[in-house]
Amino acid sequence: MLDAAQGALVLAALWLIVALFAPLIFPRRGTVAVWTLIAVGIPVLGWLTLHWGPMAGVSALAAGAVLISSPPLARRPRAPERSPAE
């Protein structure tokens, strides 16, 4: 079985996986998905920091902030296509 420290690490990894795929699964409910990820992620982050220390907590916080703040690849603005010069 998993002890508490391993459980915190597994739960944080699952949160990261869900955060990666949430914009693809819930494209129309992006705001709800983000707030749900934040509400679930705060206790997970605290549990991870408790068992693995502040460096793991800060690293997980940075990874979560990047995943939540960046738009998914499908929604990123594309560069305008250039027409061939005549």
Side-chain angles (χ1 to χ4, degrees):
M1 293 303 279
L2 296 174
D3 63 345
Q6 292 172 340
L9 194 60
V10 168
L11 196 59
L14 286 174
W15 185 93
L16 285 173
I17 292 170
V18 169
L20 279 171
F21 292 109
L24 300 174
I25 297 171
F26 307 108
R28 294 178 189 243
R29 301 209 180 252
T31 306
V32 174
V34 166
W35 284 109
T36 304
L37 283 169
I38 291 171
V40 171
I42 290 172
V44 171
L45 185 63
W47 195 30
L48 183 73
T49 305
L50 176 69
H51 289 290
W52 288 90
M55 288 305 293
V58 169
S59 299
L61 177 67
V66 167
L67 285 176
I68 287 179
S69 66
S70 65
L73 292 175
R75 292 189 194 167
R76 289 188 182 167
R78 296 183 182 177
E81 295 182 21
R82 295 185 179 195
S83 59
E86 292 185 29

